[in-house]
Amino acid sequence: MNYRRSYFIVTCIAFGFAFLYVPILSMVVFSFNASKLVTVWDSANSPTLKWYYSLLHNEEILDAAWISLKVGVINASGSVILGTLAGFGLARFTKFRGRFTLNAMTTAPLVMPEVITGLSLLLLFVALEQTIGWPAGRGITTMTIGHMTFSMAYVTVVVQSRLASFDSALEEAAMDLGARPLKVFFVITLPIIFPAILSGWLLAFTLSWDDLVISSFTSGPGSSTLPMVVFSKVRLGVSPEINVLATLTISVVTLMIVGVSFWMARASRLERAAA
Amino acid sequence: MKTTSRLQRFGITGRGLVVALPYLWLLLFFVVPFVIVLKISFSDIDLAIPPYKPLFEWLGKNSLAIKLNFDNYAFLFTDSLYLNALLNSIKVAFISTLLCLLIGYPMAYGIARSKPSTRNILLLLVILPFWTSLLLRVYAWIGLLKANGVINNLLIWFGTIHEPLTLLYTPFAMYVGIVYSYLPFMILPLYANLEKMDWTLLEAAEDLGCRPYQAFYKITLPLSRNGMLAGSMLVFIPAVGEFVIPALLGGPNALMIGRVLWDEFFSNRAWPVASAVAILLLAILVPFMMWYQSVQARESAGAR
Amino acid sequence: MSISTGAVKAAPWNDPGARPYVQVERITKSFGDFKAVDDVSLKIYKGEIFCLLGASGCGKTTLLRMLGGFETPSSGRIFIDGEDMTGVPPYERPVNMMFQSYALFPHMNVEQNVAFGLKQDRVPKAEIAERVATMLDLVKLGSFAKRKPHQLSGGQKQRVALARSLVKRPKLLLLDEPLGALDKKLREHTQFELISLQDQLGVTFVVVTHDQEEAMTLASRIGVMNQGEIVQAGTPSEIYEFPSSKFVADFVGSVNIFEGKLIEDEPEYVRIASEELGGTIYVSHGISAAPEAAVWAAVRPEKVFMSTARPEGIDNVVRGAVQDIAYLGDLSIYLVKLSTGKVVRVTQPNTSRHAEAITWDQQVYLTWDPSSPVVVTR
């Protein structure tokens, strides 16, 4: 392919990425600013780690982070199971009763505004509580159920598209050699699509960790998640501790993504060398 | 010989079990809630917990009274606040989608045409912001746009202006926020579509006498239509109901329907009205969602 | 021409008392209104290499998949070694398949791939190890046991796929376009390897291919398929020398077909008048056809003699001008245009390095032995 470099395109890309990253970088820089005003650089006392210290001792934020973590892990694990089942069904079974509905139900959450999903879930929980007594009040359980409902849609898309590019001859070959369909799934399909499932897990976890709107609707007293706490702080304006939180989040995500990429590149390099 | 036949007599197949679990889950936690929202949009507000009156009432032995209160909908249409909010939301979402398209298309195109090694890095850079919290990234703009924020400080420092510009809590800030947050959602489907393109088509066109720009308009652009539509839907539909960005960046005058819904629900505790707003919003968005579905189906059918 | 394997030197298909190993009885497979396989019946005998030959879309792969259990027939039955296997799923059939894409499990090494089928049968570990090692040695991949599929070349992958399907000692081995992905030299080499392997193990093969050269080399018998039907089944020489229809004559190898009318129909000979040819064709064997019927005479290019001097006789002689020559090294193909406008294809081996070559536009006479034409009625 002719990799013609167009100056117009290169400029667009440069500006585009600058647009995406300047705000992030500014947050990181100002997390080291001693001034409480955040964006007015206090050169006398900066750079400083005092806000880092303050954040890591902030009970409210730490409690909220812990709740977000719990909800995130349970949500991701549950979503992966539901999403893999749905993704597998949609990719492999060309015709079954309810296929159209299942397809619609797994793509709608991807575009639906969260206020609508959040409102509807809350009203469901209230109605359920009235009729059958469960769930008793909103809290971590209802939040997790709400998160799982929209996360599984994303996992379905990831798994479904991975299976679409998966040579079904592999599954046929395994059956031909004597393995029953269930065994084929666990011994052949699952190990091969495992990276997709893992990225689905990470996607579901991130969506849950960052979610504000659905969490606000479906949470109860004492179950505030990290985004909910951040939002209440941020409504009033800037806060240096939030800058610190942002820096920490970005660092963790960057390390993870860079780490995974390096690990995958290394693995393929090793395999090529062994050939 | 057939071990599945015993279960099949009960109408249970292996395949059925696989899809049953996600199907039932979504039915219960995604579809049923919408029915409930519809139901409540027809009920009266009540000073109770929950703050609405029941829809059904048993009167004696064999009669059931169903009270459908259309007041909530009437209220929406008579009070100009809601219609304005709705129209404004659609307008904002539409313009934001166009902006995302204008900024995102060259980026997606550039990434799709770059060398595989560069491409992976660029893609990673596009996806990275997506993994970091939306809330925090929107917060970043507060720091940039406020009166003593980074942009104003820089402009004053350079001497371009003497008084800080009002950037925050304006429609401008809201557009910046929405475009900023949704840009990856435009770039990724566009990239996926452009990456599958057969670039030799452009070479054939040039061989037949087409200039590069003409080749782009006549070949690349039409072939990327599905990618553009998919990206636009992924931006437009959620943006209409967007709440966080107008709340943090838009200021009190940024009238968006998502915010209206939130306020009705949390501040006014007017659950029936909020439900009516939700139903109205859904009614407007469902055609777009179905359009998105059909674009996706066409794309996957073409790929096969 | 094929090398007849030891197991089929007896030609069991000619013996009415022989019991077929695989019997396909009136199998039809429809997808909606489209009939992919239309009322096909076949008898395949133990130890054969049976090739299903046809163009894409003729239904050969669908038929193969039905033998393997990956598709269920819409009607009809399949018997393997006397047992009714219609509708039996692939994991319960004593049949194994070698897939066109090889379908090697990427997350397992060569050894594990080959052992997979034996593990499903719960064969004891020691026996698995022994059988896998033997099979790998047989396909000459003994030192590659620990490699992963992506570290193998195309030819090596194919041998692993072969080993994997043969290690279970299936009653029937199905091969889907086995040589399609290999280059020419490797293809020839692998053809002979396949035959020798089959001979050693005595497994019955059913091969699907669109390459007639492959079919002719491998097969003990060929089934030519067109639009879901088997139009002719027979040994390669039968198919080539005695095609039953224009389609088969034209599909396998090249052929010259002259349309004509029967003017003399005797038990020992027939004479055909052909306008296309601009002459008469005398065939030295009888045929069964209605009197004055429209028939077609098929003459293979290698059986046409070309000369500058006019041969004797009235029948089977025609004159034309050389229109095109294709030099292929071992032989040359000549396209000769007759006065009627018909173009005849003639192949001649280049037996001499300094031949007085026949050149373009040269006037030549074409003739053939009376036993060479095959007369078909459809």
Side-chain angles (χ1 to χ4, degrees), chain A residues 1 3-4 9 19-21 27 30 39 104-105 107 111 119-120 122 149 202 206 210 227 239 243 257, chain B residues 25 29 31 33 50 110 113 125 128 131 133 135-136 139 143 148 150 153 180 199 206 237 262 265 285 293:
Chain A
M1 189 181 112
Y3 297 110
R4 270 202 314 238
I9 297 284
F19 176 59
L20 280 177
Y21 279 93
M27 272 201 297
F30 284 106
T39 51
M105 290 197 295
T107 44
V111 284
L119 175 69
S120 61
L122 173 56
T149 309
L202 286 172
T206 311
D210 296 337
S239 155
N243 281 56
I257 293 189
Chain B
W25 178 283
F29 293 113
V31 179
R113 295 215 74 176
L125 286 176
L128 198 68
W131 290 95
S133 163
L135 197 52
L136 292 173
Y139 166 77
N148 59 354
V150 176
N153 288 346
Y180 183 75
W199 299 109
E206 286 183 28
I237 301 175
W262 178 286
F265 194 84
L285 290 178
Q293 275 261 64

Short mmCIF file of all heavy atoms in Angstrom, two decimals, chain A residues 1 3-4 9 19-21 27 30 39 104-105 107 111 119-120 122 149 202 206 210 227 239 243 257, chain B residues 25 29 31 33 50 110 113 125 128 131 133 135-136 139 143 148 150 153 180 199 206 237 262 265 285 293:
data_model
loop_
_atom_site.label_atom_id
_atom_site.label_comp_id
_atom_site.label_asym_id
_atom_site.label_seq_id
_atom_site.Cartn_x
_atom_site.Cartn_y
_atom_site.Cartn_z
N MET A 1 0.84 -1.18 0.00
CA MET A 1 0.00 0.00 0.00
C MET A 1 0.88 1.24 0.00
O MET A 1 1.93 1.28 0.64
CB MET A 1 -0.90 -0.03 1.25
CG MET A 1 -1.94 1.03 1.22
SD MET A 1 -2.92 0.95 2.72
CE MET A 1 -2.44 2.45 3.49
N TYR A 3 1.90 4.42 1.22
CA TYR A 3 1.69 5.25 2.42
C TYR A 3 2.03 6.69 2.13
O TYR A 3 3.05 7.20 2.54
CB TYR A 3 2.55 4.71 3.58
CG TYR A 3 2.17 3.31 3.98
CD1 TYR A 3 3.01 2.24 3.71
CD2 TYR A 3 0.97 3.06 4.64
CE1 TYR A 3 2.67 0.97 4.08
CE2 TYR A 3 0.63 1.78 5.01
CZ TYR A 3 1.49 0.73 4.73
OH TYR A 3 1.16 -0.54 5.09
N ARG A 4 1.17 7.33 1.38
CA ARG A 4 1.44 8.73 1.05
C ARG A 4 1.14 9.59 2.25
O ARG A 4 0.07 9.50 2.84
CB ARG A 4 0.52 9.17 -0.10
CG ARG A 4 1.10 8.94 -1.45
CD ARG A 4 0.42 9.85 -2.46
NE ARG A 4 -1.02 9.82 -2.30
CZ ARG A 4 -1.84 9.47 -3.28
NH1 ARG A 4 -1.35 9.08 -4.43
NH2 ARG A 4 -3.13 9.51 -3.11
N ILE A 9 -3.48 15.80 6.47
CA ILE A 9 -3.90 14.75 7.39
C ILE A 9 -3.04 14.74 8.64
O ILE A 9 -3.52 14.63 9.76
CB ILE A 9 -3.85 13.37 6.70
CG1 ILE A 9 -4.83 13.33 5.54
CG2 ILE A 9 -4.13 12.26 7.67
CD1 ILE A 9 -6.27 13.18 5.95
N PHE A 19 -5.82 18.13 21.08
CA PHE A 19 -7.14 18.41 21.65
C PHE A 19 -7.52 17.38 22.70
O PHE A 19 -8.03 17.70 23.77
CB PHE A 19 -8.16 18.46 20.52
CG PHE A 19 -9.58 18.65 20.95
CD1 PHE A 19 -9.96 19.77 21.68
CD2 PHE A 19 -10.55 17.71 20.64
CE1 PHE A 19 -11.28 19.96 22.07
CE2 PHE A 19 -11.87 17.90 21.02
CZ PHE A 19 -12.23 19.01 21.74
N LEU A 20 -7.23 16.10 22.39
CA LEU A 20 -7.60 15.04 23.32
C LEU A 20 -6.74 15.05 24.58
O LEU A 20 -7.23 14.74 25.66
CB LEU A 20 -7.46 13.67 22.65
CG LEU A 20 -8.59 13.21 21.72
CD1 LEU A 20 -8.24 11.87 21.10
CD2 LEU A 20 -9.89 13.08 22.48
N TYR A 21 -5.46 15.40 24.43
CA TYR A 21 -4.55 15.19 25.55
C TYR A 21 -4.21 16.42 26.38
O TYR A 21 -3.79 16.29 27.52
CB TYR A 21 -3.27 14.52 25.06
CG TYR A 21 -3.47 13.03 24.90
CD1 TYR A 21 -3.86 12.47 23.69
CD2 TYR A 21 -3.33 12.19 26.00
CE1 TYR A 21 -4.09 11.13 23.58
CE2 TYR A 21 -3.54 10.84 25.89
CZ TYR A 21 -3.93 10.32 24.68
OH TYR A 21 -4.15 8.98 24.57
N MET A 27 -4.47 18.58 33.82
CA MET A 27 -4.92 18.07 35.14
C MET A 27 -3.76 17.48 35.92
O MET A 27 -3.64 17.69 37.12
CB MET A 27 -5.98 16.98 34.94
CG MET A 27 -7.38 17.50 34.84
SD MET A 27 -8.57 16.24 35.20
CE MET A 27 -8.24 15.10 33.89
N PHE A 30 -1.36 20.27 37.21
CA PHE A 30 -1.85 21.06 38.33
C PHE A 30 -2.11 20.25 39.59
O PHE A 30 -2.44 20.81 40.62
CB PHE A 30 -3.10 21.85 37.91
CG PHE A 30 -2.77 23.04 37.05
CD1 PHE A 30 -3.03 23.02 35.69
CD2 PHE A 30 -2.15 24.15 37.60
CE1 PHE A 30 -2.71 24.11 34.89
CE2 PHE A 30 -1.81 25.23 36.81
CZ PHE A 30 -2.09 25.22 35.45
N THR A 39 -5.67 26.23 39.33
CA THR A 39 -5.11 26.62 38.04
C THR A 39 -4.22 27.85 38.12
O THR A 39 -3.66 28.30 37.14
CB THR A 39 -6.23 26.92 37.02
OG1 THR A 39 -7.15 27.81 37.62
CG2 THR A 39 -6.90 25.64 36.61
N ALA A 104 -31.69 -6.83 19.45
CA ALA A 104 -32.11 -5.46 19.75
C ALA A 104 -31.77 -5.11 21.19
O ALA A 104 -31.26 -4.02 21.48
CB ALA A 104 -33.61 -5.30 19.51
N MET A 105 -32.01 -6.07 22.11
CA MET A 105 -31.78 -5.79 23.52
C MET A 105 -30.30 -5.65 23.84
O MET A 105 -29.94 -5.03 24.84
CB MET A 105 -32.38 -6.90 24.39
CG MET A 105 -33.90 -6.91 24.38
SD MET A 105 -34.59 -7.87 25.75
CE MET A 105 -34.03 -9.51 25.35
N THR A 107 -28.07 -4.31 21.65
CA THR A 107 -27.48 -3.13 21.02
C THR A 107 -28.09 -1.84 21.53
O THR A 107 -27.45 -0.79 21.49
CB THR A 107 -27.65 -3.18 19.49
OG1 THR A 107 -28.98 -3.58 19.17
CG2 THR A 107 -26.67 -4.14 18.88
N VAL A 111 -26.48 2.74 22.91
CA VAL A 111 -26.76 4.12 22.49
C VAL A 111 -27.76 4.83 23.39
O VAL A 111 -27.87 6.04 23.35
CB VAL A 111 -27.27 4.15 21.03
CG1 VAL A 111 -26.15 3.94 20.05
CG2 VAL A 111 -28.36 3.13 20.82
N LEU A 119 -33.39 5.89 35.16
CA LEU A 119 -34.74 6.11 35.67
C LEU A 119 -35.54 4.82 35.63
O LEU A 119 -36.20 4.45 36.61
CB LEU A 119 -35.43 7.19 34.82
CG LEU A 119 -36.89 7.45 35.17
CD1 LEU A 119 -37.01 8.10 36.53
CD2 LEU A 119 -37.56 8.33 34.12
N SER A 120 -35.49 4.14 34.49
CA SER A 120 -36.31 2.94 34.35
C SER A 120 -35.90 1.87 35.35
O SER A 120 -36.75 1.19 35.94
CB SER A 120 -36.25 2.41 32.92
OG SER A 120 -34.92 2.07 32.60
N LEU A 122 -34.54 2.31 38.33
CA LEU A 122 -34.99 2.68 39.66
C LEU A 122 -36.48 2.38 39.83
O LEU A 122 -36.90 1.80 40.83
CB LEU A 122 -34.72 4.17 39.91
CG LEU A 122 -35.29 4.71 41.22
CD1 LEU A 122 -34.78 3.92 42.41
CD2 LEU A 122 -34.95 6.18 41.39
N THR A 149 -26.61 -4.77 33.54
CA THR A 149 -27.53 -4.71 32.41
C THR A 149 -26.93 -3.96 31.23
O THR A 149 -27.06 -4.39 30.09
CB THR A 149 -28.85 -4.06 32.83
OG1 THR A 149 -29.31 -4.70 34.01
CG2 THR A 149 -29.88 -4.17 31.74
N LEU A 202 -12.42 -6.13 31.27
CA LEU A 202 -11.84 -4.83 31.58
C LEU A 202 -12.77 -3.70 31.16
O LEU A 202 -12.92 -2.69 31.87
CB LEU A 202 -10.49 -4.67 30.87
CG LEU A 202 -9.36 -5.49 31.46
CD1 LEU A 202 -8.14 -5.43 30.57
CD2 LEU A 202 -9.02 -4.99 32.85
N THR A 206 -14.38 -0.95 33.67
CA THR A 206 -14.16 0.49 33.49
C THR A 206 -15.49 1.24 33.41
O THR A 206 -15.65 2.30 34.01
CB THR A 206 -13.37 0.75 32.21
OG1 THR A 206 -12.23 -0.10 32.20
CG2 THR A 206 -12.94 2.18 32.11
N ASP A 210 -16.53 4.10 36.17
CA ASP A 210 -16.72 5.50 35.79
C ASP A 210 -18.16 5.95 35.81
O ASP A 210 -18.45 7.12 35.60
CB ASP A 210 -16.19 5.74 34.38
CG ASP A 210 -14.70 5.53 34.29
OD1 ASP A 210 -14.05 5.63 35.33
OD2 ASP A 210 -14.23 5.24 33.19
N PRO A 227 -17.51 8.01 41.44
CA PRO A 227 -17.97 9.10 40.57
C PRO A 227 -19.03 9.97 41.24
O PRO A 227 -19.07 11.18 41.00
CB PRO A 227 -18.56 8.36 39.36
CG PRO A 227 -17.91 7.04 39.37
CD PRO A 227 -17.66 6.72 40.79
N SER A 239 -11.23 21.37 42.45
CA SER A 239 -10.74 20.89 43.73
C SER A 239 -9.43 20.15 43.47
O SER A 239 -9.37 19.26 42.65
CB SER A 239 -11.78 19.97 44.35
OG SER A 239 -11.17 19.08 45.24
N ASN A 243 -7.85 16.67 41.02
CA ASN A 243 -6.72 16.60 40.10
C ASN A 243 -5.84 15.40 40.41
O ASN A 243 -5.36 14.70 39.53
CB ASN A 243 -5.88 17.88 40.16
CG ASN A 243 -6.51 19.01 39.38
OD1 ASN A 243 -7.65 19.36 39.64
ND2 ASN A 243 -5.79 19.54 38.43
N ILE A 257 -2.40 -0.31 30.10
CA ILE A 257 -2.47 -0.47 28.65
C ILE A 257 -1.09 -0.68 28.05
O ILE A 257 -0.87 -1.54 27.21
CB ILE A 257 -3.18 0.74 27.99
CG1 ILE A 257 -4.64 0.76 28.41
CG2 ILE A 257 -3.04 0.68 26.49
CD1 ILE A 257 -5.46 1.76 27.68
N TRP B 25 -32.55 -12.13 31.47
CA TRP B 25 -32.00 -11.03 32.25
C TRP B 25 -32.37 -9.69 31.63
O TRP B 25 -32.88 -8.78 32.30
CB TRP B 25 -30.48 -11.17 32.33
CG TRP B 25 -29.82 -10.05 33.07
CD1 TRP B 25 -29.56 -8.79 32.62
CD2 TRP B 25 -29.33 -10.09 34.41
NE1 TRP B 25 -28.95 -8.03 33.58
CE2 TRP B 25 -28.78 -8.81 34.68
CE3 TRP B 25 -29.29 -11.07 35.39
CZ2 TRP B 25 -28.21 -8.50 35.91
CZ3 TRP B 25 -28.71 -10.75 36.61
CH2 TRP B 25 -28.18 -9.48 36.87
N PHE B 29 -34.61 -6.81 33.26
CA PHE B 29 -33.95 -5.60 33.75
C PHE B 29 -33.79 -4.52 32.70
O PHE B 29 -33.32 -3.44 33.01
CB PHE B 29 -32.58 -5.94 34.33
CG PHE B 29 -32.67 -6.75 35.58
CD1 PHE B 29 -32.22 -8.06 35.60
CD2 PHE B 29 -33.25 -6.23 36.73
CE1 PHE B 29 -32.32 -8.81 36.75
CE2 PHE B 29 -33.35 -6.98 37.88
CZ PHE B 29 -32.89 -8.27 37.90
N VAL B 31 -36.18 -4.42 29.48
CA VAL B 31 -37.44 -4.15 28.80
C VAL B 31 -38.56 -3.83 29.79
O VAL B 31 -39.27 -2.83 29.63
CB VAL B 31 -37.85 -5.35 27.91
CG1 VAL B 31 -39.17 -5.07 27.24
CG2 VAL B 31 -36.78 -5.61 26.87
N PRO B 33 -38.51 -2.58 32.78
CA PRO B 33 -38.46 -1.22 33.34
C PRO B 33 -39.11 -0.17 32.44
O PRO B 33 -39.76 0.75 32.94
CB PRO B 33 -36.96 -0.94 33.48
CG PRO B 33 -36.35 -2.26 33.64
CD PRO B 33 -37.17 -3.19 32.83
N PRO B 50 -43.64 5.29 47.31
CA PRO B 50 -43.05 6.13 46.27
C PRO B 50 -44.02 7.25 45.85
O PRO B 50 -45.22 7.09 45.99
CB PRO B 50 -42.83 5.16 45.12
CG PRO B 50 -43.88 4.12 45.31
CD PRO B 50 -44.13 4.01 46.77
N GLY B 110 -6.42 9.23 8.72
CA GLY B 110 -4.98 9.21 8.88
C GLY B 110 -4.50 7.94 9.55
O GLY B 110 -3.51 7.34 9.16
N ARG B 113 -4.67 4.92 7.24
CA ARG B 113 -3.69 4.89 6.15
C ARG B 113 -2.26 4.84 6.64
O ARG B 113 -1.34 4.89 5.85
CB ARG B 113 -3.88 6.12 5.26
CG ARG B 113 -5.20 6.12 4.54
CD ARG B 113 -5.07 6.71 3.19
NE ARG B 113 -4.40 5.80 2.27
CZ ARG B 113 -4.23 6.03 0.98
NH1 ARG B 113 -4.65 7.15 0.47
NH2 ARG B 113 -3.63 5.17 0.21
N LEU B 125 -3.58 5.56 21.52
CA LEU B 125 -3.73 6.93 22.01
C LEU B 125 -5.18 7.40 21.92
O LEU B 125 -5.61 8.23 22.71
CB LEU B 125 -2.83 7.87 21.20
CG LEU B 125 -1.33 7.78 21.51
CD1 LEU B 125 -0.55 8.69 20.58
CD2 LEU B 125 -1.06 8.15 22.95
N LEU B 128 -7.02 5.40 24.87
CA LEU B 128 -6.61 5.72 26.24
C LEU B 128 -7.56 6.69 26.95
O LEU B 128 -7.99 6.41 28.07
CB LEU B 128 -5.18 6.28 26.21
CG LEU B 128 -4.45 6.27 27.55
CD1 LEU B 128 -4.16 4.86 27.98
CD2 LEU B 128 -3.15 7.04 27.46
N TRP B 131 -10.70 5.08 28.29
CA TRP B 131 -10.62 4.29 29.50
C TRP B 131 -10.56 5.15 30.76
O TRP B 131 -10.79 4.66 31.87
CB TRP B 131 -9.39 3.38 29.48
CG TRP B 131 -9.46 2.25 28.51
CD1 TRP B 131 -8.97 2.24 27.25
CD2 TRP B 131 -10.04 0.96 28.73
NE1 TRP B 131 -9.21 1.03 26.66
CE2 TRP B 131 -9.86 0.23 27.54
CE3 TRP B 131 -10.69 0.36 29.80
CZ2 TRP B 131 -10.30 -1.09 27.41
CZ3 TRP B 131 -11.12 -0.95 29.65
CH2 TRP B 131 -10.93 -1.66 28.47
N SER B 133 -11.89 8.14 33.18
CA SER B 133 -13.25 8.55 33.52
C SER B 133 -13.71 9.77 32.75
O SER B 133 -13.00 10.78 32.67
CB SER B 133 -13.30 8.78 35.02
OG SER B 133 -14.43 9.52 35.34
N LEU B 135 -16.09 11.72 33.62
CA LEU B 135 -16.29 12.76 34.63
C LEU B 135 -15.02 13.58 34.84
O LEU B 135 -15.03 14.81 34.83
CB LEU B 135 -16.70 12.08 35.93
CG LEU B 135 -17.35 12.90 37.01
CD1 LEU B 135 -18.52 13.68 36.47
CD2 LEU B 135 -17.81 11.97 38.12
N LEU B 136 -13.92 12.86 34.98
CA LEU B 136 -12.66 13.55 35.25
C LEU B 136 -12.20 14.37 34.04
O LEU B 136 -11.65 15.46 34.20
CB LEU B 136 -11.58 12.53 35.64
CG LEU B 136 -11.82 11.86 36.99
CD1 LEU B 136 -10.81 10.75 37.22
CD2 LEU B 136 -11.75 12.87 38.11
N TYR B 139 -14.17 17.41 33.93
CA TYR B 139 -13.64 18.25 35.00
C TYR B 139 -12.41 19.02 34.53
O TYR B 139 -12.22 20.19 34.88
CB TYR B 139 -13.32 17.38 36.21
CG TYR B 139 -12.48 18.05 37.24
CD1 TYR B 139 -13.03 18.97 38.13
CD2 TYR B 139 -11.11 17.78 37.34
CE1 TYR B 139 -12.24 19.61 39.08
CE2 TYR B 139 -10.34 18.42 38.30
CZ TYR B 139 -10.89 19.32 39.16
OH TYR B 139 -10.12 19.95 40.09
N GLY B 143 -11.23 23.30 34.64
CA GLY B 143 -9.97 23.95 34.98
C GLY B 143 -9.42 24.78 33.82
O GLY B 143 -8.74 25.77 34.03
N ASN B 148 -10.22 32.09 36.03
CA ASN B 148 -8.78 32.09 36.28
C ASN B 148 -8.16 30.76 35.88
O ASN B 148 -7.22 30.27 36.48
CB ASN B 148 -8.48 32.40 37.76
CG ASN B 148 -9.14 31.39 38.67
OD1 ASN B 148 -9.90 30.53 38.21
ND2 ASN B 148 -8.85 31.49 39.96
N VAL B 150 -6.66 27.90 32.89
CA VAL B 150 -5.43 27.83 32.11
C VAL B 150 -5.50 28.70 30.85
O VAL B 150 -4.60 29.48 30.55
CB VAL B 150 -5.13 26.36 31.72
CG1 VAL B 150 -3.92 26.30 30.83
CG2 VAL B 150 -4.94 25.52 32.95
N ASN B 153 -5.56 32.40 31.69
CA ASN B 153 -4.25 32.79 32.23
C ASN B 153 -3.21 32.92 31.13
O ASN B 153 -2.44 33.87 31.08
CB ASN B 153 -3.77 31.78 33.26
CG ASN B 153 -4.57 31.90 34.55
OD1 ASN B 153 -5.29 32.89 34.74
ND2 ASN B 153 -4.45 30.92 35.41
N TYR B 180 -15.50 16.78 22.93
CA TYR B 180 -14.33 16.18 23.56
C TYR B 180 -14.62 14.77 24.05
O TYR B 180 -13.83 13.84 23.86
CB TYR B 180 -13.90 17.06 24.73
CG TYR B 180 -12.65 16.58 25.42
CD1 TYR B 180 -11.42 16.74 24.84
CD2 TYR B 180 -12.73 15.94 26.65
CE1 TYR B 180 -10.27 16.30 25.45
CE2 TYR B 180 -11.58 15.49 27.27
CZ TYR B 180 -10.36 15.69 26.67
OH TYR B 180 -9.23 15.24 27.29
N TRP B 199 -7.72 -0.07 -0.78
CA TRP B 199 -7.07 1.15 -1.24
C TRP B 199 -6.68 1.09 -2.71
O TRP B 199 -6.46 2.12 -3.34
CB TRP B 199 -5.84 1.45 -0.38
CG TRP B 199 -6.20 1.66 1.04
CD1 TRP B 199 -5.94 0.81 2.08
CD2 TRP B 199 -6.93 2.76 1.60
NE1 TRP B 199 -6.45 1.32 3.24
CE2 TRP B 199 -7.07 2.50 2.99
CE3 TRP B 199 -7.48 3.92 1.08
CZ2 TRP B 199 -7.71 3.38 3.85
CZ3 TRP B 199 -8.12 4.79 1.95
CH2 TRP B 199 -8.23 4.51 3.31
N GLU B 206 -7.12 6.79 -9.93
CA GLU B 206 -6.09 7.72 -10.40
C GLU B 206 -5.54 7.28 -11.73
O GLU B 206 -5.21 8.10 -12.59
CB GLU B 206 -4.99 7.82 -9.36
CG GLU B 206 -5.42 8.64 -8.16
CD GLU B 206 -4.32 8.81 -7.14
OE1 GLU B 206 -3.15 8.79 -7.53
OE2 GLU B 206 -4.66 8.97 -5.96
N ILE B 237 -27.26 9.98 19.46
CA ILE B 237 -28.32 9.45 20.33
C ILE B 237 -28.02 9.64 21.82
O ILE B 237 -28.87 10.16 22.54
CB ILE B 237 -28.59 7.96 20.00
CG1 ILE B 237 -29.01 7.82 18.54
CG2 ILE B 237 -29.65 7.40 20.90
CD1 ILE B 237 -29.17 6.38 18.10
N TRP B 262 -33.46 14.85 35.13
CA TRP B 262 -32.77 14.67 36.40
C TRP B 262 -33.38 15.58 37.47
O TRP B 262 -33.69 15.16 38.58
CB TRP B 262 -31.29 14.97 36.21
CG TRP B 262 -30.44 14.87 37.44
CD1 TRP B 262 -30.40 15.76 38.49
CD2 TRP B 262 -29.51 13.86 37.76
NE1 TRP B 262 -29.50 15.35 39.43
CE2 TRP B 262 -28.92 14.17 39.00
CE3 TRP B 262 -29.08 12.69 37.11
CZ2 TRP B 262 -27.96 13.38 39.60
CZ3 TRP B 262 -28.13 11.91 37.71
CH2 TRP B 262 -27.58 12.26 38.95
N PHE B 265 -36.74 14.63 38.59
CA PHE B 265 -36.75 13.43 39.41
C PHE B 265 -36.18 13.67 40.79
O PHE B 265 -36.80 13.35 41.81
CB PHE B 265 -35.95 12.33 38.68
CG PHE B 265 -36.15 10.99 39.26
CD1 PHE B 265 -37.24 10.21 38.87
CD2 PHE B 265 -35.29 10.47 40.21
CE1 PHE B 265 -37.45 8.97 39.41
CE2 PHE B 265 -35.49 9.23 40.74
CZ PHE B 265 -36.57 8.47 40.35
N LEU B 285 -36.03 9.09 20.08
CA LEU B 285 -34.75 8.43 19.80
C LEU B 285 -34.89 7.06 19.18
O LEU B 285 -33.99 6.61 18.48
CB LEU B 285 -33.93 8.33 21.09
CG LEU B 285 -33.41 9.67 21.61
CD1 LEU B 285 -32.65 9.45 22.91
CD2 LEU B 285 -32.53 10.35 20.60
N GLN B 293 -29.34 0.27 14.05
CA GLN B 293 -29.41 -1.19 13.91
C GLN B 293 -29.32 -1.60 12.46
O GLN B 293 -28.59 -2.52 12.10
CB GLN B 293 -30.75 -1.70 14.47
CG GLN B 293 -30.79 -1.93 15.93
CD GLN B 293 -30.60 -3.39 16.27
OE1 GLN B 293 -29.56 -3.96 16.01
NE2 GLN B 293 -31.62 -3.99 16.85
#
